[in-house]
């Protein structure tokens, strides 16, 4: 399944392309990715990190999950401290960042307007998440946020579901 060719969500594809064309002033000289963003890391990793979706001027710009935005700065620093990333920063796809035994994905692979995908858009992307979650190599899953938590537990058919909360 090549997520970069996905066209299941016209609203998201239109938004990603618009953001890639109009760009934020700080990135005016950069070529935006503007396509659905694939998983990042080794497919056979035992650890999986699940986020919500690419940021409009982060992964939608760089083409790599959690790259080029504030949440990625925090995540890659933490992964580096834990020995799971070879460097603490991620600026673009070709920066040499590598992950050890860790795969990063998202519920949605296209940046949604206002960071709010619809239920239908999340369902359209669920095949990609299902394949990542149910891979036989997985031993641990970290969900970053309530939507990632609910989506992952739904795939794992966990009932009753523990309520997600920050802190």
């Amino acid at each position: 399944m090549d997520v970069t060719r996905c066209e299941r969500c016209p609203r998201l594809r239109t938004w990603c392309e618009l953001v890639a064309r109009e760009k934020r002033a700080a990135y005016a000289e950069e070529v935006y990715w503007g396509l659905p963003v694939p998983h990042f890391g080794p497919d056979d990793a035992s650890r999986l990190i699940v986020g919500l979706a690419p940021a409009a001027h982060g992964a939608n710009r760089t083409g790599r999950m959690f790259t080029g935005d504030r949440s990625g700065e925090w995540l890659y620093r933490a992964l580096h401290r834990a020995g799971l990333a070879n460097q603490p920063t991620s600026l673009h796809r070709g920066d040499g960042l590598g992950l050890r035994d860790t795969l990063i994905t998202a519920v949605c692979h296209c940046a949604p307007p206002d960071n709010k995908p619809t239920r239908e858009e999340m369902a359209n992307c669920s095949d990609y998440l299902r394949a990542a979650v149910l891979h036989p190599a997985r031993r641990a899953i970290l969900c970053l946020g309530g939507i990632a938590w609910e989506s992952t537990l739904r795939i794992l058919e966990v009932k009753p579901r523990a309520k997600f909360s920050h802190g």
Side-chain angles (χ1 to χ4, degrees):
M1 291 191 294
D2 182 5
V3 73
T4 64
R5 295 186 178 155
C6 183
E7 295 286 334
R8 295 177 188 172
C9 302
R11 180 182 84 109
L12 297 185
R13 295 304 314 122
T14 299
W15 173 250
C16 290
E17 291 166 6
L18 175 71
V19 169
R21 247 189 342 270
E22 294 185 354
K23 304 177 184 179
R24 181 173 279 171
Y27 308 118
E29 301 302 316
E30 292 188 32
V31 175
Y32 272 58
W33 173 260
L35 299 170
V37 180
H39 311 304
F40 175 54
D43 288 331
D44 63 349
S46 69
R47 297 174 190 91
L48 178 66
I49 298 173
V50 181
L52 171 60
H57 299 283
N60 185 57
R61 174 174 55 86
T62 66
R64 183 196 288 154
M65 287 290 178
F66 284 93
T67 296
D69 62 35
R70 303 287 291 187
S71 56
E73 290 174 14
W74 174 86
L75 178 62
Y76 290 119
R77 225 178 11 253
L79 290 173
H80 183 256
R81 277 194 311 268
L84 301 175
N86 66 335
Q87 60 192 45
T89 59
S90 178
L91 303 174
H92 54 82
R93 278 193 326 275
D95 64 10
L97 177 66
L99 300 180
R100 187 174 69 77
D101 199 29
T102 303
L103 180 70
I104 300 175
T105 193
V107 173
C108 288
H109 289 265
C110 292
D114 299 319
N115 211 26
K116 294 180 182 173
T118 66
R119 288 187 190 278
E120 181 181 356
E121 290 161 347
M122 289 186 281
N124 287 344
C125 239
S126 65
D127 291 347
Y128 303 112
L129 182 60
R130 178 175 303 283
V133 167
L134 297 179
H135 191 286
R138 302 298 179 253
R139 297 294 174 260
I141 301 173
L142 173 64
C143 297
L144 303 176
I147 292 174
W149 173 259
E150 284 296 323
S151 298
T152 300
L153 291 183
R154 189 174 304 111
I155 288 168
L156 293 172
E157 298 178 359
V158 172
K159 292 183 183 178
R161 292 189 186 122
K163 197 77 171 151
F164 177 87
S165 68
H166 289 279

